[in-house]
Amino acid sequence: MSPTETEITADLIRVLLKEQHPDLAELPVTLGARGWDNQVWRLGDDLAVRLPWATRSADERLLKEHTWLPVLAPHLPLPVPVPQRLGAPSERFPRPWIVTTWVAGTPADRAPAARADDAARTLAAFLTALHRPAPAGAAAGRGRAGPLADRAEGFAGQLAKATELGLLDDPEAVRAVWEDALAAPPWDGPALWVHADLHPANVLTADGTFCGVIDFGDLCAGDPASDLAAAWVLLPDGATGAFHDACRPSPDAATLRRARGNAAANALGGLLIGDAGDRGLPGGKPSWGPPAREALRRLTATRQG
């Protein structure tokens, strides 16, 4: 973590707006959330201001969203935060920032999807629309959206730490899911647009199903298995089959094996952040623990998920 030295407040945001986007400066400003990379402040009823406040990579990610989300959003069946204005670095705030549309809903780590079939179809429709060949100039997938072998060292470290802390009922079962995924044939299709960070805090719910997707900072061109992994983390028990059936094209066996490995790795990370305060977060993010534990239970209960 590398926090910005500037304290972000409602007063600061009003000043920044007055200097660069004065037509928005009189709208009410209220804190929405302090995320991993950015703070999100609601601006009036329909807009939000996102400002990087922690990792230095947040600047690049915001600019990437500003470039690509206006292109992708019209083709997606769920609301996403569409950039409307770009804020330039200044003496008052030395980093870029953006004004986006506000996406209503409750993060799924606090309000999990409960309507299994509807949630499965909604998630499948969103990913079917997103997973199109990415154009030249799109960031290449790394980490979660790249070859699964790139995550092997990180997975081993997380598994060892979670085992040491007693967070896993059956570490060897989790390892078996990973090793099966690692042995699966790699993605050999075109590099597709992938969100690459579909954990429960980045998917919104309302009335028991999904109603929006936020934080496209990891958007890149890569292996769709990265996003298909979300089924085990986001959907209720028994819904992964309906999700896979609704995806177009239907994922092949190798892709599902890689998706399960990604899901196991993502769930381990969520478990450590939620239950162990990992990555320098005092107290962690407690709401991340339950969906991570549920995902690992589903993944290890059966190889078919």
Side-chain angles (χ1 to χ4, degrees), residues 15 159 191 248 261 264:
V15 170
L159 181 63
R248 295 291 180 271

Side-chain angles (χ1 to χ4, degrees), residues 158-300:
Q158 289 182 321
L159 181 63
K161 186 170 185 178
T163 302
E164 178 185 352
L165 294 173
L167 300 179
L168 300 173
D169 293 331
D170 190 346
E172 289 309 309
V174 177
R175 188 191 309 277
V177 172
W178 173 258
E179 290 180 349
D180 178 71
L182 203 58
W187 175 249
D188 61 359
L192 305 182
W193 276 124
V194 291
H195 181 283
D197 199 19
L198 288 175
H199 63 71
N202 286 342
V203 181
L204 307 181
T205 65
D207 300 322
T209 190
F210 304 122
C211 65
V213 178
I214 60 175
D215 195 348
F216 283 74
D218 286 324
L219 179 73
C220 62
D223 181 354
S226 170
D227 286 350
L228 297 176
W232 286 276
V233 184
L234 292 172
L235 295 174
D237 284 353
T240 53
F243 166 74
H244 298 146
D245 290 343
C247 287
R248 295 291 180 271
S250 296
D252 59 29
T255 298
L256 291 181
R257 289 168 66 189
R258 296 193 309 277
R260 285 169 53 81
N262 275 297
N266 296 346
L268 273 181
L271 188 66
L272 288 168
I273 293 169
D275 288 7
D278 200 19
R279 290 183 66 182
L281 291 177
K285 288 182 174 286
S287 63
W288 289 25
R293 287 192 295 273
E294 286 296 291
L296 291 171
R297 178 184 59 79
R298 295 183 190 108
L299 287 162
T300 57

